[in-house]
């Protein structure tokens, strides 16, 4: 693995470069944009060296991660067993390596007590694909029934904090900056005990203080448990067997206290069955909107009016249902610009016999379901689909799709409980069309692992320039997938970008970055909380294809100014500090 190196550059402000490798070159890619819901037709890309194959290798054993998930089940078939849980990928100790937090379930009534009691787990990345369980050393002695997680530096002290959405009281862990955390759950954070779901930190008003969205699933308790039968057997109930819930929005007061603004901001205006969540500027007006995937109900898109209040526009935006007007059993949700037109699109997973949905953003807060015409739903109807990510797995400048699969009922004769996961490759580079192909069968032994997967997270675990994957599996150990692009001689380049806000939140949550590299124009945002009740992406990854340098990096700080850095060398991680870009400057390659 490449060593971590910090270099001060002359970009009129500090830039930190994480050591990476550079690869060969390839002819530039072509890009155009349209506003229809159809596949974009582009010219062929011409001759050039063939890309290295995308290979995701099962690296679970070599990683030394021995933790295993439990849903606490004991035969009662509680609904909460089916929806546990998510995980997070973030650098908790600031050493430049991505660490992993695994949420966990807890014993439910009738479960035989075990020693030690099941815990959540924080695994520190030691480098060279070695991970160490540091949960107790870090102060994470958590036995909560975990469902969702979000990570961000809510107090702007330079250290990422952890919010856990649980069955029962939610928890906020503050990072002390010395490798340990403390539980600071109090006040509004400590009120209520619901069935949690996805969670997101976001800046409602662009004031630099990160607020908190906590989605909720259904009004369930063990005393209201319903155990339906099928063919003489007890089966799991569904979300329609319980009343729906409202979601929670907490405003950060800037003094370590929080105010529940769910009602006054419009978030509590609708009841739903929240699962995955993602927050981003989905209408392109410079503030952060909220998307909540609901199980067997219409999904919610809360449009921010710029003053911290929201209007639910899921139906009129086209993101509430599929192209046939049907509500899905929606699970995970991610947003990203799959067609490189500068707008954030949405991808939402669903229940068995329903396809995952790709909603193309065509502007003016209108989305088209292009799942079938683009192939983005190929292979998804066979299983329940959970975690998902719009991520560039092969560094060609187009976002691919990873989908975590697995049924929730291990006794359903009409379903496959343990299933392989999916990779849908964006083939714009090869074909000139905005289409996806199911490449799961040719992506290495990591895609042959069968499990009942839930959350999935994406990031460069070994700092070699490609995106690796970690998947949480229900009732068993996780799956760690190592991306072997570099090892297979890929000619594609990349750039990692870390934002450091000064007026904006320190993580730059909600800030948008545009990278221009030759014919490529790529857009991404910093999000906190996404996919299936999980978190990743604090450090932005841009696949650059053949481009070995970036002409222009443009940062739209949330609530602040637009800054530009020019002539940035590929193959590195740059940290861009708000207020330090004074004009064009050249960077130097890492030593």
């Amino acid at each position: 693995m490449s060593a971590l190196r910090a270099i001060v550059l002359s970009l009129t402000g500090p830039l930190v470069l994480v050591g990476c490798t550079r690869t060969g070159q390839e002819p530039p890619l072509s890009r155009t944009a349209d506003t229809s819901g159809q596949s974009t037709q582009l010219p062929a890309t011409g001759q050039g060296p063939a890309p290295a194959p995308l290979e995701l290798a099962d690296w679970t054993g070599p990683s030394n991660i021995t933790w295993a998930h439990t849903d606490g089940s004991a035969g009662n078939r509680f609904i909460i067993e089916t929806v546990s849980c998510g995980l997070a990928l973030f650098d908790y100790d600031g050493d430049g390596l991505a660490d992993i937090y695994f949420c966990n379930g807890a014993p439910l009534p009738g479960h035989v007590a075990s020693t030690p009691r099941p815990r959540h787990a924080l695994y520190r990345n030691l480098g060279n694909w070695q991970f160490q369980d540091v949960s107790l050393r870090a102060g994470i002695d958590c036995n909560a029934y975990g469902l969702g997680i979000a990570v961000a530096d809510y107090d702007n002290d330079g250290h990422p904090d952890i919010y856990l959405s649980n069955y029962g009281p939610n928890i906020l862990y503050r990072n002390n900056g010395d490798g340990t955390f403390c539980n600071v759950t109090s006040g509004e954070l400590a009120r209520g005990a619901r069935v949690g779901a996805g969670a997101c930190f976001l800046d409602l008003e662009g004031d630099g203080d990160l607020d908190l969205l906590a989605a909720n699933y259904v009004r369930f308790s063990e005393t209201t448990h319903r155990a339906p039968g099928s063919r003489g057997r007890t089966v799991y109930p569904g979300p329609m067997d319980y009343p729906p819930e409202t979601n929670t929005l907490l405003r950060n007061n800037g003094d370590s206290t929080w105010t529940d603004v769910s009602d006054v901001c419009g978030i509590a205006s609708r009841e739903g069955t929240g699962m995955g969540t993602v927050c981003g500027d989905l209408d392109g007006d410079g503030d952060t909107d909220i998307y909540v995937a609901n199980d067997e109900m219409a999904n919610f898109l809360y449009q921010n009016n710029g003053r911290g209040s929201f209007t639910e526009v899921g139906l009129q935006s086209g993101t509430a249902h599929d192209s046939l007007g049907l509500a899905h059993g929606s699970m995970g949700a991610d947003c990203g610009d799959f067609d490189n037109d500068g707008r954030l699109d949405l991808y939402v997973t669903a229940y068995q016999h329903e396809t995952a949905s790709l909603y193309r953003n065509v502007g003016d807060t209108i989305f088209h379901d292009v799942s079938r015409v683009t192939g983005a739903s190929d292979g998804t109807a066979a299983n329940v689909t959970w975690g998902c990510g719009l991520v560039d797995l092969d560094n060609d400048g187009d976002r691919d799709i990873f989908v975590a699969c697995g049924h929730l009922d291990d006794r359903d004769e009409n379903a496959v409980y343990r299933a392989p996961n999916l990779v849908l490759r964006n083939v714009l580079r090869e074909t000139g069309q905005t289409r996806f192909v199911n490449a799961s069968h040719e992506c290495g032994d990591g895609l042959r692992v069968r499990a009942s997967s839930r959350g999935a997270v994406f990031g460069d675990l070994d700092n070699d320039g490609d995106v690796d994957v970690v998947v949480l599996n229900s009732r068993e150990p996780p799956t760690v997938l190592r991306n072997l692009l570099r090892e297979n001689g890929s000619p594609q380049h990349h750039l990692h970008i870390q934002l450091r806000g000064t007026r904006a939140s320190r993580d730059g949550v909600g800030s948008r970055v545009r990278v221009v590299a030759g014919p490529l124009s790529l857009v991404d945002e910093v999000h906190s909380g996404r996919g299936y009740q999980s978190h990743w992406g604090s450090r932005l990854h841009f696949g650059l294809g053949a481009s070995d340098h970036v002409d222009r990096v443009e940062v739209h700080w949330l609530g602040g100014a637009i800054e530009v850095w020019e002539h940035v060398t590929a193959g590195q991680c740059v940290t861009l500090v708000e207020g330090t870009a004074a004009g064009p400057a050249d960077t130097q390659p890492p030593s």
Side-chain angles (χ1 to χ4, degrees), residues 116-291:
R117 183 180 171 90
R119 291 190 180 94
H120 295 217
L122 175 62
Y123 272 84
R124 185 185 179 202
N125 189 340
L126 304 178
N128 294 313
W129 285 96
Q130 298 298 296
F131 293 82
Q132 180 183 23
D133 187 344
V134 295
S135 310
L136 297 182
R137 181 196 310 172
I140 305 292
D141 188 10
C142 184
N143 304 119
Y145 200 104
L147 295 167
I149 183 170
V151 175
D153 183 4
Y154 80 89
D155 53 2
N156 291 324
D157 68 349
H159 311 292
D161 311 296
I162 301 169
Y163 181 76
L164 300 175
S165 180
N166 304 314
Y167 166 52
N170 297 339
I171 297 172
L172 178 63
Y173 280 110
R174 181 180 180 272
N175 192 327
N176 297 319
D178 59 0
T180 67
F181 294 81
C182 58
N183 187 334
V184 294
T185 312
S186 62
E188 294 289 354
L189 290 170
R191 294 184 183 179
R194 299 180 176 182
V195 180
C200 298
F201 285 98
L202 70 155
D203 188 346
L204 300 179
E205 302 158 313
D207 61 359
D209 291 325
L210 290 180
D211 311 294
L212 184 55
L213 171 77
N216 297 299
Y217 188 40
V218 293
R219 292 192 177 99
F220 163 84
S221 69
E222 291 151 23
T223 58
T224 62
H225 171 54
R226 302 175 183 178
S230 175
R231 299 180 181 179
R233 294 182 305 177
T234 300
V235 299
Y236 281 112
M240 297 297 99
D241 291 318
Y242 300 95
E245 263 282 23
T246 57
N247 299 314
T248 303
L249 186 63
L250 300 175
R251 174 173 286 141
N252 185 342
N253 298 324
D255 58 0
S256 298
T257 66
W258 305 78
T259 300
D260 190 333
V261 293
S262 311
D263 290 315
V264 298
C265 286
I267 296 300
S269 63
R270 301 286 299 274
E271 293 182 333
T273 49
M275 298 195 84
T277 55
V278 66
C279 297
D281 187 4
L282 297 172
D283 57 4
D285 65 353
D287 53 39
T288 302
D289 311 298
I290 297 171
Y291 188 77

Side-chain angles (χ1 to χ4, degrees), residues 490-562:
S490 170
Q492 315 286 28
H493 297 280
H494 78 283
L495 181 69
H496 289 154
I497 294 179
Q498 187 94 41
L499 297 185
R500 286 288 175 261
T502 52
R503 182 182 180 276
S505 65
R506 189 178 187 279
D507 290 340
V509 173
S511 298
R512 180 170 292 204
V513 176
R514 180 184 299 276
V515 168
V516 178
L520 281 174
S521 179
L522 309 174
V523 165
D524 203 358
E525 282 185 358
V526 180
H527 302 132
S528 169
R530 62 202 302 185
Y532 183 70
Q533 302 177 176
S534 297
H535 169 89
W536 77 89
S538 302
R539 182 173 73 177
L540 303 180
H541 173 91
F542 294 91
L544 300 178
S547 299
D548 61 1
H549 75 282
V550 168
D551 303 306
R552 176 183 177 94
V553 177
E554 185 178 285
V555 180
H556 296 240
W557 298 98
L558 183 68
I562 301 172

Side-chain angles (χ1 to χ4, degrees), residues 324-510:
L324 301 177
L326 302 176
H328 283 187
S330 298
M331 304 294 184
D334 192 24
C335 65
D337 183 10
F338 85 92
D339 52 1
N340 292 345
D341 65 355
R343 293 185 285 260
L344 296 182
D345 312 293
L346 284 163
Y347 192 78
V348 186
T349 53
Y351 197 68
Q352 187 181 20
H353 304 311
E354 301 169 344
T355 60
S357 296
L358 176 63
Y359 297 103
R360 186 181 186 197
N361 187 340
V362 299
D364 297 324
T365 323
I366 301 297
F367 293 75
H368 294 166
D369 182 350
V370 296
S371 312
R372 290 174 176 82
V373 71
T374 62
S377 60
D378 287 358
T380 60
N383 301 290
V384 183
T385 51
W386 302 84
C388 60
L390 283 163
V391 290
D392 189 352
L393 293 169
D394 52 10
N395 279 348
D396 66 350
D398 304 312
R399 290 175 180 267
D400 311 296
I401 299 173
F402 184 98
V403 181
C405 303
H407 208 273
L408 53 82
D409 193 336
D410 57 353
R411 299 193 305 185
D412 189 335
E413 297 174 350
N414 299 313
V416 176
Y417 180 65
R418 290 180 173 85
N421 297 321
L422 297 173
V423 168
L424 303 174
R425 284 194 61 240
N426 191 329
V427 296
L428 177 59
R429 176 185 171 279
E430 292 94 336
T431 67
Q433 297 179 345
T434 50
R435 280 196 57 82
F436 295 86
V437 296
N438 188 341
S440 309
H441 63 286
E442 57 188 35
C443 286
D445 65 354
L447 273 296
R448 292 193 287 271
V449 174
R450 291 181 174 268
S452 182
S453 299
R454 295 296 186 267
V457 293
F458 310 89
D460 191 352
L461 291 172
D462 54 357
N463 286 337
D464 69 346
D466 49 39
V467 175
D468 310 297
V469 185
V470 185
V471 182
L472 186 145
N473 301 317
S474 180
R475 302 180 181 174
E476 56 189 295
T479 304
V480 180
L481 301 178
R482 181 178 183 179
N483 193 329
L484 298 179
L485 269 186
R486 175 188 174 189
E487 289 76 8
N488 290 335
S490 170
Q492 315 286 28
H493 297 280
H494 78 283
L495 181 69
H496 289 154
I497 294 179
Q498 187 94 41
L499 297 185
R500 286 288 175 261
T502 52
R503 182 182 180 276
S505 65
R506 189 178 187 279
D507 290 340
V509 173

